[in-house]
Amino acid sequence: MRNISFLILLFLSLTACEKVIDIDLNESNPQVVIEANLQAGEHEFVVQITETASYFDNQLPKTIENASIRLLAEDGTAVEIPHQNSGLYAEVINAIPNQTYTLEVEIGAQLYQASSFLPERVKLIDLETEFQEARGPIDEGYLVYSRFEDDGNVENYYRLLHKVDGVLRNGGEDLQVVDDNFFNGGMARLPLFQKIFNEGETVTLILQHIEVNSFEYFNSLGDIIASGMGPNSGTAAPGNPNTNWSNDALGYFGAFASDTLSVEIPQ
């Protein structure tokens, strides 16, 4: 079977304009792709719905604009998410941690559902910088480490994003998710992997505390990108990133809480 390509939007919940990653995927009948991130606290909750398109078709994937969407909270709250434009649905939501949210998307006679647990925020304690000499193809520069306390009573999953001088770095090579297997219940000291920063740059780290479905989605997406089967590779991807959607929809619905801290690289 040949491959198709669908648009994966990363960080929909971060209100900044963000880069789209185009992944080669299974080409057969078009499939619905639903992307949504729910952030703790009050924010604009955005859902994007498209259909997969052929990798060999130069046209962008078709947007779906006739869906009915509801966000259901564990406490019984239900909110309708109205269509805005071009397959984007949005509504201001105040999401409360420590409960499960379910997103229902109805398109025609088909109902798609996905659930995600919204964890508490994990606070960043500090950002550390460490100078590194040039080694082989790696230039000299500064590494940045994040420090935070992990709760040892539950399994935790994290996503690390970063900005340089206020610009979000959101390419496939910037995708970083981790679990707490190596620091469960202790002080975590995590580097921004393979990122070298220069003197005078301001690095802002965004620590997202995510749940297991989001971790599995991004971890599988990272495997596809690392295998060389990501954007513009011209090769067939081994499969789709993991999804928590019912009825064969692609994409994912994930909930997270985040904390942000900045550091200036010394001169």
Side-chain angles (χ1 to χ4, degrees):
M1 205 176 273
R2 302 293 297 179
N3 286 354
I4 21 179
S5 160
F6 75 81
L7 299 179
I8 295 176
L9 288 179
L10 298 182
F11 319 126
L12 284 171
S13 58
L14 302 178
T15 55
C17 177
E18 300 177 2
K19 185 176 179 179
V20 172
I21 295 179
D22 193 4
I23 303 295
D24 300 339
L25 297 170
N26 179 354
E27 179 186 356
S28 55
N29 296 323
Q31 289 177 268
V32 171
V33 182
I34 309 170
E35 304 282 344
N37 284 302
L38 182 69
Q39 183 174 356
E42 188 171 348
H43 68 293
E44 185 179 41
F45 174 57
V46 179
V47 182
Q48 184 179 44
I49 309 179
T50 60
E51 280 188 348
T52 55
S54 172
Y55 179 69
F56 302 102
D57 189 343
N58 291 327
Q59 295 183 359
L60 292 175
K62 176 184 175 182
T63 59
I64 296 177
E65 303 180 0
N66 63 338
S68 297
I69 302 178
R70 287 199 313 160
L71 180 67
L72 309 174
E74 193 174 338
D75 62 10
T77 304
V79 179
E80 301 287 334
I81 313 298
H83 181 251
Q84 302 298 324
N85 58 72
S86 302
L88 290 175
Y89 301 73
E91 184 61 272
V92 175
I93 297 292
N94 185 20
I96 309 301
N98 290 322
Q99 61 178 321
T100 298
Y101 286 84
T102 298
L103 191 60
E104 294 185 345
V105 176
E106 189 173 356
I107 304 172
Q110 188 67 270
L111 178 65
Y112 304 93
Q113 292 180 312
S115 296
S116 185
F117 178 77
L118 178 59
E120 291 275 6
R121 181 185 72 154
V122 172
K123 186 175 177 57
L124 283 165
I125 296 174
D126 192 18
L127 296 182
E128 300 175 355
T129 62
E130 180 180 286
F131 181 74
Q132 177 176 275
E133 300 284 352
R135 294 185 300 175
I138 301 176
D139 295 332
E140 70 175 25
Y142 286 82
L143 302 173
V144 171
Y145 291 84
S146 61
R147 294 178 63 247
F148 57 90
E149 188 75 32
D150 179 74
D151 181 0
N153 295 316
V154 294
E155 294 181 356
N156 293 294
Y157 306 90
Y158 302 97
R159 185 178 183 188
L160 281 68
L161 303 94
H162 71 285
K163 300 178 181 179
V164 178
D165 295 334
V167 178
L168 181 67
R169 299 298 174 90
N170 195 29
E173 70 280 2
D174 299 309
L175 179 58
Q176 182 175 343
V177 290
V178 297
D179 58 32
D180 64 357
N181 284 343
F182 294 105
F183 51 83
N184 185 33
M187 179 66 66
R189 184 177 184 264
L190 292 180
L192 284 166
F193 294 140
Q194 300 179 344
K195 303 299 175 188
I196 301 297
F197 302 98
N198 301 315
E199 294 181 359
E201 290 181 330
T202 297
V203 179
T204 300
L205 188 134
I206 304 162
L207 177 68
Q208 291 186 349
H209 188 195
I210 62 178
E211 45 82 60
V212 62
N213 289 323
S214 297
F215 173 79
E216 291 177 351
Y217 172 83
F218 285 114
N219 200 40
S220 62
L221 176 60
D223 288 342
I224 292 173
I225 293 171
S227 70
M229 296 175 182
N232 305 317
S233 67
T235 59
N240 301 320
N242 292 341
T243 180
N244 57 342
W245 283 104
S246 66
N247 290 328
D248 296 322
L250 301 178
Y252 87 111
F253 166 52
F256 69 91
S258 63
D259 196 30
T260 302
L261 200 60
S262 297
V263 65
E264 184 176 349
I265 304 300
Q267 301 188 50

